[in-house]
Amino acid sequence: MEDPLLVAAGEAMAADAGRSAEERWNAAVAKLNEGTRLLMTNRFAEAEACYRTGMGDDMAAEGGGDVGSLAARDTRGAFALHLAVVGALRGIGSLANDQLDECYTRMEQAAQLAALDTDWAGRKVVCGVCSLCLGLVMCLQQQVVSGIWRILRSWQHVRHFQTECLNFDGVGHEVVRSSAMLTLGLFNLLLSLLPSHYLRLASWASGFECDRAGALTMLRQCVDEEGLSAPIAAVALLTFQLDTQTFLNEALDQEELVQCAVVLEWGLARYPGSIFYTLLQADWHACRREVSLSREALQTALRMECLAELCGIDAALHYKLGVYFLAELQWAAAGRAFSASMEVYRRAGRRAMAPFMAACAALSYLVAGEGAMGTEMLEVVEMYRRLPKNNWGGKDLLAFRLLGKHAARARADAGSAAGAGSAAGAGGAAGAGGAAGAG
């Protein structure tokens, strides 16, 4: 039985037969740009539909063409790659089951389609990105060693980027260059985050210096040139600097914050209402310790319609909102935010992270003096602890330990109170007996 994705890829080829090779190429590039615009403005289903349609716009005319010629180009792999990325975002964001397995399958199909393209710079870019993404998915599936090896194997394609792809001067050079800059930036950025022993191996195997500063410069240049991959490069750049570096306890200096502001303003102006840039705006304010403005940005994002589908992002936003409330010592508000995050996971039928959110809510309520709400959240943690699940994550295991400590402290307090009561009763009895004897 033929692969349905491969079958769908050729359905619209007949409609393109009357157009020249250059017209088909221009139409494909326009469709890729439109798909990116839809993605950046939260219209994920429409972006997928756009990419699916584009997978039928095969650039190889009937009868083919010379190897490397415009007529022989096949853009199906590029569209399949974008489709796989959007599918991964929707799957992970919606907390769907087996989303990583589906993403891996889609990415493999994109790699198969890319291999059908003629031998030109664009093919190397798509194949390299597919291999890089497959490695990342394997890492997320806890296959770390295999995933890193797959990322390093993408070097066989990526090594051509700095020479052939960045300097490609044929038709479509702006698309090839933009995609190559994005990939080179991400490739070096990922390798720079590896532990030192892996980093030495990666540098030896890939030939790249794994220079983080150079990677960030490459991403900024990709944004400045405003090519096909500029919006994604901007999101990647800002995410690393505003979120990842903060997580690594690497505070941004004033110059870096200004550079981030320029990129952020560019993204917000070009894609108003984008959930990606709105969340990054919240991170930017947080890096400047403007917590109230960060909360305003998150509350704007929480009103976006796309969260009806992306419940995973909805839960993460409520958690982040709770953290910002904690920073302002608004304990009860933090408790409500963490509780709302827990409810999102519960409605989605996901057990992971729900105990941790309930524990955060319980602690916040108890500090706020709302003992009844705190006790209710602790009961939720206990309910999850009793479930038949053996692969709880680290945060949820922390919630269970906190529950155990709270229960032990409650028993100790109860014992102390009972002991004090007994002592008081004995003292009172002794005093009464002494008074009677004196009388």
Side-chain angles (χ1 to χ4, degrees):
M1 182 178 179
E2 291 186 276
D3 190 308
L5 192 60
L6 296 176
V7 172
E11 287 183 348
M13 289 178 59
D16 295 322
R19 294 192 288 181
S20 68
E22 187 168 357
E23 287 173 335
R24 286 194 298 275
W25 169 258
N26 290 336
V29 172
K31 199 177 290 292
L32 284 170
N33 278 306
E34 174 63 10
T36 301
R37 185 188 69 80
L38 293 169
L39 170 62
M40 288 292 111
T41 52
N42 316 329
R43 297 156 68 179
F44 304 109
E46 292 177 62
E48 278 198 341
C50 178
Y51 292 138
R52 285 186 185 279
T53 303
M55 287 173 62
D57 295 334
D58 193 308
M59 294 308 299
E62 293 184 10
D66 296 333
V67 174
S69 69
L70 182 62
R73 290 184 190 176
D74 185 338
T75 61
R76 293 178 297 174
F79 282 105
L81 171 60
H82 284 78
L83 178 66
V85 171
V86 177
L89 288 174
R90 294 184 74 189
I92 295 172
S94 63
L95 299 176
N97 291 321
D98 303 321
Q99 67 268 22
L100 291 177
D101 292 338
E102 182 178 351
C103 177
Y104 189 89
T105 300
R106 282 190 175 190
M107 203 63 68
E108 277 195 321
Q109 292 169 334
Q112 293 170 13
L113 286 170
L116 301 177
D117 197 0
T118 188
D119 187 16
W120 73 293
R123 177 179 181 272
K124 293 182 176 66
V125 171
V126 176
C127 289
V129 175
C130 285
S131 183
L132 184 62
C133 290
L134 284 168
L136 290 175
V137 173
M138 294 176 76
C139 289
L140 292 173
Q141 291 175 317
Q142 307 303 316
Q143 303 176 43
V144 179
V145 175
S146 299
I148 292 175
W149 176 245
R150 189 65 184 255
I151 290 173
L152 293 177
R153 281 186 60 193
S154 67
W155 169 78
Q156 62 183 312
H157 304 289
V158 176
R159 64 191 176 94
H160 296 285
F161 287 14
Q162 289 182 310
T163 54
E164 183 177 350
C165 298
L166 288 181
N167 301 316
F168 180 70
D169 60 358
V171 176
H173 64 91
E174 70 286 348
V175 175
V176 174
R177 177 176 170 80
S178 182
S179 301
M181 284 193 293
L182 171 64
T183 309
L184 282 171
L186 291 177
F187 186 81
N188 280 285
L189 203 56
L190 288 171
L191 293 185
S192 73
L193 294 173
L194 293 175
S196 57
H197 55 288
Y198 281 129
L199 185 59
R200 289 192 295 271
L201 174 62
S203 297
W204 173 80
S206 67
F208 287 94
E209 296 182 1
C210 306
D211 176 24
R212 180 188 296 183
L216 295 174
T217 299
M218 184 73 74
L219 291 175
R220 288 193 193 95
Q221 187 176 356
C222 183
V223 177
D224 291 341
E225 295 186 9
E226 300 191 10
L228 173 67
S229 300
I232 301 173
V235 171
L237 173 65
L238 292 171
T239 299
F240 182 83
Q241 292 201 285
L242 299 175
D243 195 56
T244 305
Q245 283 191 226
T246 301
F247 176 78
L248 297 174
N249 198 29
E250 300 175 0
L252 300 179
D253 58 33
Q254 189 59 36
E255 182 181 355
E256 290 173 319
L257 285 171
V258 170
Q259 291 174 341
C260 288
V262 172
V263 177
L264 185 59
E265 289 174 4
W266 176 86
L268 289 169
R270 189 163 180 173
Y271 303 103
S274 169
I275 191 169
F276 301 105
Y277 289 108
T278 302
L279 296 183
L280 290 167
Q281 184 181 37
D283 287 338
W284 185 79
H285 285 303
C287 288
R288 290 169 54 87
R289 295 176 172 79
E290 299 169 343
V291 181
S292 61
L293 295 177
S294 295
R295 286 196 292 103
E296 289 179 13
L298 285 184
Q299 287 164 340
T300 297
L302 283 167
R303 292 191 292 270
M304 294 182 179
E305 295 180 1
C306 63
L307 292 186
E309 174 190 4
L310 305 177
C311 52
I313 296 179
D314 189 13
L317 290 184
H318 279 103
Y319 169 70
K320 234 176 183 181
L321 187 62
V323 171
Y324 291 151
F325 277 127
L326 288 181
E328 294 184 311
L329 307 184
Q330 298 188 46
W331 310 110
R336 289 190 291 273
F338 292 133
S339 178
S341 179
M342 183 271 297
E343 283 296 336
V344 173
Y345 286 113
R346 186 151 64 175
R347 287 197 304 269
R350 308 294 293 190
R351 290 177 289 183
M353 291 301 292
F356 177 69
M357 294 302 166
C360 289
L363 293 175
S364 301
Y365 282 132
L366 291 173
V367 174
E370 299 187 13
M373 294 298 296
T375 301
E376 181 181 336
M377 288 294 102
L378 288 172
E379 290 173 354
V380 172
V381 178
E382 173 64 18
M383 178 197 71
Y384 278 104
R385 189 186 68 81
R386 294 178 180 275
L387 292 178
K389 179 177 170 66
N390 299 319
N391 59 340
W392 290 105
K395 287 184 171 61
D396 293 326
L397 292 175
L398 173 61
F400 299 146
R401 288 197 295 272
L402 289 172
L403 176 67
K405 289 182 178 180
H406 178 81
R409 181 172 179 177
R411 287 193 298 269
D413 290 345
S416 298
S422 299

PDB file of all heavy atoms in Angstrom, residues 119-131:
ATOM      1  N   ASP A 119      19.825  17.472  -7.450  1.00  0.00           N
ATOM      2  CA  ASP A 119      20.991  17.806  -6.638  1.00  0.00           C
ATOM      3  C   ASP A 119      21.321  19.292  -6.757  1.00  0.00           C
ATOM      4  O   ASP A 119      22.025  19.721  -7.665  1.00  0.00           O
ATOM      5  CB  ASP A 119      22.190  16.955  -7.065  1.00  0.00           C
ATOM      6  CG  ASP A 119      23.382  17.139  -6.141  1.00  0.00           C
ATOM      7  OD1 ASP A 119      23.172  17.669  -5.029  1.00  0.00           O
ATOM      8  OD2 ASP A 119      24.504  16.779  -6.532  1.00  0.00           O
ATOM      9  N   TRP A 120      20.790  20.073  -5.804  1.00  0.00           N
ATOM     10  CA  TRP A 120      21.092  21.499  -5.781  1.00  0.00           C
ATOM     11  C   TRP A 120      21.144  21.963  -4.321  1.00  0.00           C
ATOM     12  O   TRP A 120      20.860  21.195  -3.408  1.00  0.00           O
ATOM     13  CB  TRP A 120      20.064  22.300  -6.601  1.00  0.00           C
ATOM     14  CG  TRP A 120      18.709  22.443  -5.976  1.00  0.00           C
ATOM     15  CD1 TRP A 120      17.790  21.465  -5.742  1.00  0.00           C
ATOM     16  CD2 TRP A 120      18.125  23.659  -5.513  1.00  0.00           C
ATOM     17  NE1 TRP A 120      16.666  21.976  -5.158  1.00  0.00           N
ATOM     18  CE2 TRP A 120      16.842  23.326  -5.005  1.00  0.00           C
ATOM     19  CE3 TRP A 120      18.530  24.991  -5.473  1.00  0.00           C
ATOM     20  CZ2 TRP A 120      15.986  24.282  -4.461  1.00  0.00           C
ATOM     21  CZ3 TRP A 120      17.684  25.948  -4.935  1.00  0.00           C
ATOM     22  CH2 TRP A 120      16.420  25.593  -4.446  1.00  0.00           C
ATOM     23  N   ALA A 121      21.498  23.215  -4.094  1.00  0.00           N
ATOM     24  CA  ALA A 121      21.720  23.707  -2.734  1.00  0.00           C
ATOM     25  C   ALA A 121      20.478  23.580  -1.862  1.00  0.00           C
ATOM     26  O   ALA A 121      20.571  23.249  -0.670  1.00  0.00           O
ATOM     27  CB  ALA A 121      22.189  25.161  -2.778  1.00  0.00           C
ATOM     28  N   GLY A 122      19.296  23.841  -2.419  1.00  0.00           N
ATOM     29  CA  GLY A 122      18.070  23.765  -1.645  1.00  0.00           C
ATOM     30  C   GLY A 122      17.803  22.370  -1.107  1.00  0.00           C
ATOM     31  O   GLY A 122      17.288  22.202   0.008  1.00  0.00           O
ATOM     32  N   ARG A 123      18.158  21.361  -1.869  1.00  0.00           N
ATOM     33  CA  ARG A 123      17.975  19.980  -1.414  1.00  0.00           C
ATOM     34  C   ARG A 123      18.834  19.705  -0.197  1.00  0.00           C
ATOM     35  O   ARG A 123      18.388  19.054   0.755  1.00  0.00           O
ATOM     36  CB  ARG A 123      18.340  19.021  -2.542  1.00  0.00           C
ATOM     37  CG  ARG A 123      18.261  17.539  -2.162  1.00  0.00           C
ATOM     38  CD  ARG A 123      18.631  16.677  -3.365  1.00  0.00           C
ATOM     39  NE  ARG A 123      18.557  15.261  -3.061  1.00  0.00           N
ATOM     40  CZ  ARG A 123      19.569  14.554  -2.552  1.00  0.00           C
ATOM     41  NH1 ARG A 123      20.717  15.148  -2.291  1.00  0.00           N
ATOM     42  NH2 ARG A 123      19.428  13.267  -2.325  1.00  0.00           N
ATOM     43  N   LYS A 124      20.071  20.192  -0.204  1.00  0.00           N
ATOM     44  CA  LYS A 124      20.962  19.987   0.930  1.00  0.00           C
ATOM     45  C   LYS A 124      20.398  20.646   2.194  1.00  0.00           C
ATOM     46  O   LYS A 124      20.514  20.112   3.306  1.00  0.00           O
ATOM     47  CB  LYS A 124      22.347  20.537   0.619  1.00  0.00           C
ATOM     48  CG  LYS A 124      23.088  19.788  -0.481  1.00  0.00           C
ATOM     49  CD  LYS A 124      24.462  20.369  -0.704  1.00  0.00           C
ATOM     50  CE  LYS A 124      25.244  19.544  -1.732  1.00  0.00           C
ATOM     51  NZ  LYS A 124      24.668  19.610  -3.080  1.00  0.00           N
ATOM     52  N   VAL A 125      19.775  21.818   2.032  1.00  0.00           N
ATOM     53  CA  VAL A 125      19.193  22.502   3.181  1.00  0.00           C
ATOM     54  C   VAL A 125      18.066  21.679   3.789  1.00  0.00           C
ATOM     55  O   VAL A 125      18.020  21.449   5.004  1.00  0.00           O
ATOM     56  CB  VAL A 125      18.685  23.901   2.782  1.00  0.00           C
ATOM     57  CG1 VAL A 125      17.881  24.530   3.919  1.00  0.00           C
ATOM     58  CG2 VAL A 125      19.841  24.811   2.409  1.00  0.00           C
ATOM     59  N   VAL A 126      17.136  21.223   2.952  1.00  0.00           N
ATOM     60  CA  VAL A 126      15.987  20.469   3.460  1.00  0.00           C
ATOM     61  C   VAL A 126      16.440  19.158   4.096  1.00  0.00           C
ATOM     62  O   VAL A 126      15.982  18.788   5.188  1.00  0.00           O
ATOM     63  CB  VAL A 126      14.971  20.205   2.332  1.00  0.00           C
ATOM     64  CG1 VAL A 126      13.819  19.344   2.838  1.00  0.00           C
ATOM     65  CG2 VAL A 126      14.437  21.519   1.774  1.00  0.00           C
ATOM     66  N   CYS A 127      17.354  18.453   3.438  1.00  0.00           N
ATOM     67  CA  CYS A 127      17.844  17.192   4.004  1.00  0.00           C
ATOM     68  C   CYS A 127      18.561  17.423   5.331  1.00  0.00           C
ATOM     69  O   CYS A 127      18.397  16.654   6.280  1.00  0.00           O
ATOM     70  CB  CYS A 127      18.778  16.507   3.010  1.00  0.00           C
ATOM     71  SG  CYS A 127      17.957  15.828   1.545  1.00  0.00           S
ATOM     72  N   GLY A 128      19.346  18.498   5.399  1.00  0.00           N
ATOM     73  CA  GLY A 128      20.051  18.801   6.638  1.00  0.00           C
ATOM     74  C   GLY A 128      19.108  19.132   7.776  1.00  0.00           C
ATOM     75  O   GLY A 128      19.293  18.665   8.911  1.00  0.00           O
ATOM     76  N   VAL A 129      18.086  19.920   7.494  1.00  0.00           N
ATOM     77  CA  VAL A 129      17.115  20.289   8.531  1.00  0.00           C
ATOM     78  C   VAL A 129      16.332  19.055   8.982  1.00  0.00           C
ATOM     79  O   VAL A 129      16.075  18.879  10.181  1.00  0.00           O
ATOM     80  CB  VAL A 129      16.166  21.384   8.019  1.00  0.00           C
ATOM     81  CG1 VAL A 129      15.083  21.675   9.052  1.00  0.00           C
ATOM     82  CG2 VAL A 129      16.936  22.657   7.709  1.00  0.00           C
ATOM     83  N   CYS A 130      15.948  18.201   8.054  1.00  0.00           N
ATOM     84  CA  CYS A 130      15.227  16.974   8.419  1.00  0.00           C
ATOM     85  C   CYS A 130      16.065  16.114   9.364  1.00  0.00           C
ATOM     86  O   CYS A 130      15.565  15.621  10.386  1.00  0.00           O
ATOM     87  CB  CYS A 130      14.870  16.176   7.169  1.00  0.00           C
ATOM     88  SG  CYS A 130      13.508  16.861   6.195  1.00  0.00           S
ATOM     89  N   SER A 131      17.334  15.928   9.028  1.00  0.00           N
ATOM     90  CA  SER A 131      18.209  15.117   9.862  1.00  0.00           C
ATOM     91  C   SER A 131      18.395  15.749  11.237  1.00  0.00           C
ATOM     92  O   SER A 131      18.365  15.062  12.267  1.00  0.00           O
ATOM     93  CB  SER A 131      19.569  14.949   9.178  1.00  0.00           C
ATOM     94  OG  SER A 131      20.420  14.120   9.931  1.00  0.00           O
TER      95      SER A 131
END
